Amino acid sequence: MRLNRLFGNTTATWIIISVLVVGIIGINLSIALNTVNKLTAVQTSLDKTSIIILRLESLHLSVVVAESGQRGYLLTEYEEYLNPYHAELQSLDEKIALVSGIESEIPGQQERIKDLLVLVNEKIHELTSTVELALKEREKSALRQIMTNRGRDLYREIRKTMKQLVDTEYEHRQVLYSQLKRIQRDAKVNFGVSAITSGLLVIGMFLMARINLSINTRYQDDLEKQNEQLLDKVAQRTQELTIYSEELSRSNRELEDFAFVASHDLQEPLRKIQAFSDRLTTMYKDKLDERGVDYIKRMTTAAFRMSTLINDLLEFSRITTRGKDFVDVELNNVLEEVLIDLEIAISESGAQINIEPLPKVCADPSQMYQLFLNVLSNGLKFRKVDVPPVISVSVEQKDIRDELQHMDVPCCIVTIKDNGIGFEQTYADKIFSPFQRLHGRTAYKGTGIGLAVCRRIVERHGGTITALGHPDEGAAFTVTLPIDAVVNKYMGE
């Protein structure tokens, strides 16, 4: 009796359905975002550890080469041995600066790095002092200074400290790899749980709808047949999803495919929710009161928003794994295509867009289109009330120093500036993070992933993107892209 009373109450029934739908949607989204955040954090730590090891080993090699040149000259008096000696001394200051700028995540590493730099500076002083004595024809004094074994002792301490630093970083990297494997296992479990809960959500929703409608309709026989057919379809699709989930759990895909798998398969239960919500609205709208119709509408809106978020997450994860080969791209042609697609938005807002001639770069054409479409769309979206948008696109070409490759890279710097609502500069980094928004959904539409996609596109091309904003004064986005193709090993190219 109590059960019939509960499900006979239309308002209570759809409150329960809405709570279940929104709750499951929130849980699935939280699982997907948590997996992406963990993957990003561990990958960042791995990149940092690799750079630290590279810088330490480069400094160690320079000290060894400089010492070999010094000893070769002192033993043979051939000035050819001083060529590598002088070359390495010139690069040591730069390498010492790179090592001093290291920020290791491992406790105690910073203190050991400081000790290493003290030893290296003392070693440089010992090398230069003995060579200066030899150049002043005071070879005996130089040899006596070497025979004190201070240089040998210094190098032993340097090698010992260097080995401890590098070994510690290698051990930390192994720990990070273990964390990646654990995330892999967790992602498989989370996906299975999400698939199961989504299936249960679909089954539960239609069971409740069946009970509710069977009590309030005079066509009980027809409704029971329809519900049996629907339940058979749900059971069939649930079985298919279970089989597919088992196949996925046995696969050994790369870590970056987890976001794709989760995004792709979470769409199915959402489509079920949307499809059957439309059926409920079409077939039983007259049998529900205003609250019931409103609850269905809210449920459909939440499912659509979840579908949009998943699509954006999928697009975000595919930037590096599904990118096309780099070819010569005329940025002027790309901007023309973007303006054609934004023609209606430009016309409705009365926007004025000024574009300087842009150069040719080696890039992924579709991702260049996506990059400029997202940035220009932001300029049109986040505009002031009753103020037509004014967007200017300017460009500058110059060589930028690549510290890792020790070379100057020809780049083009594109600045896209608007007169919109702007933002506080303290949020300049936050706007490039996935699903981060500075405004509510009701004020401005969107999922908050567009600029995160832009940053991943630019990073895949070996460039950078930054933002400068002031409230009510507009914003400026600066995109730096290499003219020629750059292989970015940390982005999986």
Side-chain angles (χ1 to χ4, degrees), residues 418-433:
D418 61 59
N419 65 337
I421 61 174
F423 58 86
E424 292 285 353
Q425 189 60 29
T426 54
Y427 299 115
D429 291 332
K430 180 179 179 181
I431 61 176
F432 290 108
S433 298

Side-chain angles (χ1 to χ4, degrees), residues 182 230-231 262-263 274 285 305 352 370 381 421-423 435:
R182 186 169 63 254
L230 291 176
L231 288 173
S263 302
Q274 292 171 326
K285 181 177 180 181
R305 185 164 63 251
Q352 176 184 347
Q370 191 176 14
K381 182 196 303 183
I421 61 174
F423 58 86
F435 304 107

Side-chain angles (χ1 to χ4, degrees), residues 49-63:
T49 300
S50 299
I51 292 173
I52 291 173
I53 293 173
L54 180 63
R55 291 181 179 179
L56 290 173
E57 292 180 344
S58 177
L59 177 61
H60 185 202
L61 180 61
S62 293
V63 173

Side-chain angles (χ1 to χ4, degrees), residues 133-177:
L133 288 173
L135 290 174
K136 294 177 181 179
E137 299 183 354
R138 297 174 61 186
E139 289 82 357
K140 292 183 178 180
S141 298
L143 289 174
R144 280 197 303 270
Q145 183 169 325
I146 289 180
M147 295 303 293
T148 62
N149 292 330
R150 173 168 172 75
R152 182 193 64 184
D153 295 339
L154 282 172
Y155 176 70
R156 286 180 176 176
E157 288 296 323
I158 290 173
R159 185 174 61 183
K160 178 181 177 181
T161 305
M162 186 72 70
K163 185 177 185 303
Q164 186 178 8
L165 285 167
V166 173
D167 289 347
T168 303
E169 291 295 333
Y170 275 118
E171 291 174 0
H172 182 56
R173 190 163 65 178
Q174 290 302 317
V175 172
L176 292 175
Y177 280 130

Side-chain angles (χ1 to χ4, degrees), residues 35 38-39 175 177-193 248-249 251-253 255 258:
T35 301
K38 286 182 178 179
L39 288 173
V175 172
Y177 280 130
S178 299
Q179 291 179 4
L180 286 177
K181 293 180 180 179
R182 186 169 63 254
I183 294 174
Q184 179 182 6
R185 294 193 299 268
D186 293 344
K188 292 179 180 179
V189 173
N190 291 338
F191 174 75
V193 173
L248 287 176
S249 64
S251 66
N252 193 20
R253 295 185 179 181
L255 291 175
F258 286 124

Side-chain angles (χ1 to χ4, degrees), residues 335-464:
L335 262 295
E336 289 180 4
E337 294 179 8
V338 170
L339 292 180
I340 291 174
D341 288 346
L342 293 177
E343 183 177 1
I344 296 177
I346 293 173
S347 175
E348 291 178 351
S349 62
Q352 176 184 347
I353 301 180
N354 306 312
I355 302 176
E356 293 184 1
L358 300 176
K360 179 191 296 183
V361 299
C362 189
D364 183 334
S366 61
Q367 290 189 351
M368 287 297 100
Y369 169 84
Q370 191 176 14
L371 168 65
F372 288 105
L373 178 67
N374 286 348
V375 178
L376 289 176
S377 297
N378 269 10
L380 295 173
K381 182 196 303 183
F382 297 103
R383 62 179 184 266
K384 300 177 184 176
V385 180
D386 299 329
V387 177
V390 177
I391 303 175
S392 63
V393 181
S394 59
V395 65
E396 176 186 3
Q397 297 190 47
K398 69 177 183 179
D399 294 341
I400 296 179
R401 184 69 176 175
D402 189 325
E403 297 297 337
L404 292 178
Q405 301 185 45
H406 303 289
M407 60 182 293
D408 292 333
V409 179
C411 296
C412 71
I413 303 174
V414 181
T415 302
I416 303 172
K417 187 176 182 180
D418 61 59
N419 65 337
I421 61 174
F423 58 86
E424 292 285 353
Q425 189 60 29
T426 54
Y427 299 115
D429 291 332
K430 180 179 179 181
I431 61 176
F432 290 108
S433 298
F435 304 107
Q436 295 295 324
R437 300 172 56 93
L438 303 183
H439 307 280
R441 294 190 183 92
T442 56
Y444 297 97
K445 295 181 179 180
T447 60
I449 202 174
L451 290 179
V453 169
C454 291
R455 181 168 67 177
R456 292 203 73 179
I457 290 174
V458 172
E459 289 177 349
R460 180 185 177 230
H461 287 74
T464 60

